Amino acid sequence: MNDRTTMTERKIHISLPSTGEEECEAVRESILSGWVTQGPKVAAFEKLFAEMHQVPHALAVTSCTTGLHLALAGLGVGPGDEVIIPAFTWIATANVVLYCGATPVFVDVDPATNNIDPEDVARKVTERTKAIIPVHLFGLCADMDAIRAVLPDGVHVIEDAACASGASYKGTPAGGLGDVASFSFHPRKSITTGEGGMVTTVHPELAEKMDKMRNHGAEISEEQRHHGPSPWRLPEFNMLGFNYRMTDLQGAMGLVQLGKLEGFIEERQKWAEHYCSELEGLDWLQMPRIPAEGRHAWQAFVTRVDPASAPHTRNDIMAKLNDRGVATRPGTHAVHELGFYRERFGLEPDDFPGAHDCAANTMAIPLHNRMDAEDYAHVVDCLRGLD
Ligand SMILES: *Cc1c(COP(=O)(O)O)cnc(C)c1O
């Protein structure tokens, strides 16, 4: 009876950031140092991030969204250009295309992976296609080889790696699978700096251009100016830039978080496998795909409720789990069904049946680094009890 009471009072969040005294100490040090905007901590964060993702260039920015915008601007994407994006993703993947005055071209996703469907990419390519933004949704890398195989030469590949810190595909980490990539450190992702992002690229000239563009287009950085010998020297500005600089407070926090990333993913991997084996018997609940060709970063554990065999509707299941203290969420949005895109481009739900299916039937269940064995047992118990 006692057991039962604690079980019903348990509250399991869909996601919680794992931060502690080390992050506090690092940020404190940064505040007391007197250098609080982009500086030595950001530089150290970028260096470690680049090393861990085996890419030559990493640039910290204010979010994954501004990082994607920077990437498109750096590649010169503008009016008249088409940019291919999946229809099932966070809205930012589409918004950044419009920030550049270019046209987002939606492509359907494969409900087995939640990722962009290369066959539909092939159908949507035109002579105006300038770039594609494959999304590594929930930490599972998109099938980059299959995507490349259907793209004409010269189409830029931009990874939306918001959920993919630490993920890999056929031996290559996310961040080096295209021309440029953007990661997120929003608290909902595996490591966080409050808000924040990281842009990576394999191209040195693009890195140099984006480095300037994130700092108003200035030819020399604040640090160079501050520490240089010529006090009269102001930077030259030869391009339109933005202020997308990360603060050194966030850089300091990010450095500590990054040191924990491997451990976070290993722990998530272990519990993801646990869910898969414990929930195997529920034939109405499909488990996420565990890739053989690389590493899933498990930003989220997203299941699919089969409407034909589930004991209740997906939404009723979510409500019942909520009553027992288990938070769940739909995976993400079918962007073509959101008011702004639906109206502006005259889109119908059926235009992208895979994305529509994903939005209607996916259900993320709790998986993060602030859960213990009893929490996982409770989630499994609640799901089994629904039958
Ligand atoms: C979270 C997320 C973003 C946005 O990241 P921010 O850092 O909040 O800008 C973009 N794309 C995808 C797929 C995401 O999950």
Side-chain angles (χ1 to χ4, degrees), residues 246-287:
M246 175 182 269
T247 67
D248 238 31
L249 278 58
Q250 292 168 295
M253 181 174 176
L255 205 48
V256 177
Q257 285 274 289
L258 199 52
K260 300 178 176 178
L261 178 62
E262 282 299 309
F264 285 168
I265 295 178
E266 273 167 33
E267 187 187 341
R268 286 172 184 231
Q269 170 78 25
K270 182 183 99 181
W271 289 109
E273 284 167 10
H274 176 81
Y275 270 152
C276 288
S277 67
E278 291 295 303
L279 299 171
E280 203 179 34
L282 304 181
D283 52 6
W284 54 269
L285 191 67
Q286 290 161 17
M287 295 294 109

Side-chain angles (χ1 to χ4, degrees), residues 21 31 55 58 69 86 89 117 129 138 207 217 226 243 274 301 326 333 336 338 345:
E21 287 302 326
I31 292 170
V55 278
H69 182 206
T89 182
D117 174 6
T129 307
F138 314 132
H226 197 78
N243 179 356
H274 176 81
F301 190 91
V326 176
H333 300 275
H336 71 289
L338 299 175
F345 296 98

Side-chain angles (χ1 to χ4, degrees), residues 116-199:
I116 198 163
D117 174 6
E119 284 177 26
D120 203 33
V121 172
R123 285 189 283 270
K124 304 287 167 62
V125 169
T126 73
E127 70 277 5
R128 296 180 127 189
T129 307
K130 175 101 174 187
I132 180 170
I133 312 180
V135 179
H136 306 320
L137 207 58
F138 314 132
L140 175 70
C141 286
D143 191 351
M144 300 302 282
D145 283 351
I147 292 166
R148 273 192 193 286
V150 299
L151 290 178
D153 288 345
V155 174
H156 303 298
V157 178
I158 301 156
E159 298 168 72
D160 181 336
C163 314
S165 290
S168 70
Y169 172 84
K170 300 185 181 173
T172 304
L177 295 167
D179 294 293
V180 52
S182 187
F183 294 82
S184 174
F185 308 125
H186 180 274
R188 184 70 197 276
K189 319 299 179 181
S190 1
I191 54 170
T192 186
T193 58
E195 299 282 352
M198 188 73 78
V199 175

